[in-house]
Amino acid sequence: MRNHPNQFALPGGRIDDGESAVEAALRELHEETGIVASVPDVAGVLDDYPTRSGYLITPVVCWLDDDPPLIPNPAEVAQSYFVPFEDLLRTPRFLTIAQSPRPVIQMPLLDRTIHAPTAAVLYQFAEVVLRDRPTRVDQLEQPVFAWQ
């Protein structure tokens, strides 16, 4: 991640001409992790998340029955992690900052603090997919350092 180094992120990137968000997500998943998934593997999409740096993230959720090999692309992935579902069920923190009326979300994970937008996507995944609770996240703020 050249634009946001040292931050946790999920696979993703720009949509190429003629691609849908789902097609782009499947392509980026393969390019970044070596994992091959196809449209039938797509369980659905979460809410779009507009970032302060001008991007619109469309999280695509895939479900694979097997355990595909993870082959991170070293040009795009510095490190990869396996996160058990139960770890995603931890209670996030919601902070108040002077720069925004919206709460900043932080997720405690892997002995670290994960910030939005990744934290917002993981939180919504945990709420909607793992807890079966409809939850919106587009009102959740990013930390000021991510506004560029």
Side-chain angles (χ1 to χ4, degrees):
M1 291 182 45
R2 291 174 295 280
N3 292 338
H4 298 282
N6 300 316
Q7 293 183 30
F8 283 78
L10 299 166
R14 296 184 191 271
I15 297 174
D16 289 343
D17 288 339
E19 277 186 324
S20 68
V22 167
E23 291 166 335
L26 295 173
R27 176 182 50 76
E28 290 284 345
L29 176 67
H30 181 252
E31 288 175 5
E32 294 180 20
T33 69
I35 295 173
V36 177
S38 60
V39 172
D41 300 317
V42 174
V45 297
L46 299 175
D47 288 347
D48 285 347
Y49 185 89
T51 70
R52 287 287 193 152
S53 55
Y55 295 97
L56 182 66
I57 297 171
T58 302
V60 176
V61 178
C62 295
W63 187 268
L64 301 172
D65 288 329
D66 60 350
D67 190 11
L70 180 63
I71 307 166
N73 178 342
E76 300 199 44
V77 180
Q79 195 167 358
S80 57
Y81 301 90
F82 174 79
V83 179
F85 283 162
E86 68 184 40
D87 289 1
L88 294 176
L89 297 173
R90 294 183 182 153
T91 303
R93 294 184 211 106
F94 297 98
L95 309 176
T96 302
I97 59 172
Q99 296 87 344
S100 176
R102 298 166 34 191
V104 173
I105 185 170
Q106 295 180 338
M107 291 284 294
L109 196 61
L110 302 169
D111 296 324
R112 295 173 175 88
T113 300
I114 311 299
H115 301 279
T118 302
V121 173
L122 292 175
Y123 172 63
Q124 188 176 39
F125 174 82
E127 290 297 300
V128 172
V129 177
L130 303 179
R131 288 191 168 117
D132 196 25
R133 294 196 296 215
T135 302
R136 300 288 178 207
V137 295
D138 62 347
Q139 81 289 355
L140 298 177
E141 186 62 89
Q142 297 173 251
V144 174
F145 70 77
W147 290 16
Q148 302 168 31

